Amino acid sequence: MPALPPETTLPATSRHAATRRPVLGALAVALVAGGLLAGCSGGSSTSVSCRGADCRATVTGAPVEVDQPDANQSTRSARSTKRRPPRDNDGVDFGVTAMGPGWVDVEDDGRVTRVQQGGTFVEDGSTVRLESSDGRTAVFTFRRR
């Protein structure tokens, strides 16, 4: 029996098989559309964890605020789109206003700075490093004060 060309389809052997492809296709389109809409809705979150004085912040989406955990906490997570008023020298706290592949715009005390991947900025006496950014998620490291 000769092989069928790739564009040839075989007839459905049952009524269910004939309807399976359109249903799966519609489901795939709905999932993709839902994911795109969720991404456009501004869903932002941050998670900061510290082991001793070494901290790691993971940010998804923007705008979002990053806060160092309090002295008696090892982690802090939040969903946020609003920035709090500046605080005076009480630990690392800054906002991520936008991000793209390899860069992040950071807002601190009313000033926005673009930080490239691998770059650093100083926040309340701590040096914060942008480890990575793929445009949707950014990872920062810093030492807790």
Side-chain angles (χ1 to χ4, degrees), residues 100-126:
W103 60 270
V104 172
D105 284 346
V106 174
E107 186 269 327
D108 181 40
D109 299 332
R111 188 177 64 190
V112 176
T113 305
R114 178 155 294 178
V115 180
Q116 299 294 327
Q117 188 164 306
T120 62
F121 63 97
V122 176
E123 164 53 22
D124 286 341
S126 295

Side-chain angles (χ1 to χ4, degrees), residues 9-19 21:
T9 58
L10 295 174
T13 57
S14 74
R15 187 171 62 92
H16 297 293
T19 60
R21 277 195 192 141

Side-chain angles (χ1 to χ4, degrees), residues 46 62-68 76 79-88 90-97 105-112 121 123-124:
T46 182
V64 68
E65 183 175 347
V66 177
D67 286 313
Q68 171 180 307
R76 173 175 284 201
R79 291 195 171 276
S80 172
T81 57
K82 293 191 177 180
R83 176 88 169 120
R84 291 185 325 198
R87 299 180 291 173
D88 293 327
D90 60 351
V92 173
D93 64 324
F94 60 91
V96 174
T97 59
D105 284 346
V106 174
E107 186 269 327
D108 181 40
D109 299 332
R111 188 177 64 190
V112 176
F121 63 97
E123 164 53 22
D124 286 341

Side-chain angles (χ1 to χ4, degrees), residues 5-69:
E7 65 274 3
T8 303
T9 58
L10 295 174
T13 57
S14 74
R15 187 171 62 92
H16 297 293
T19 60
R20 189 172 296 142
R21 277 195 192 141
V23 170
L24 289 177
L27 180 59
V29 169
L31 289 174
V32 169
L36 291 173
L37 290 175
C40 295
S41 68
S44 311
S45 67
T46 182
S47 173
V48 183
S49 61
C50 298
R51 179 173 285 173
D54 295 323
C55 298
R56 179 180 185 90
T58 303
V59 174
T60 303
V64 68
E65 183 175 347
V66 177
D67 286 313
Q68 171 180 307

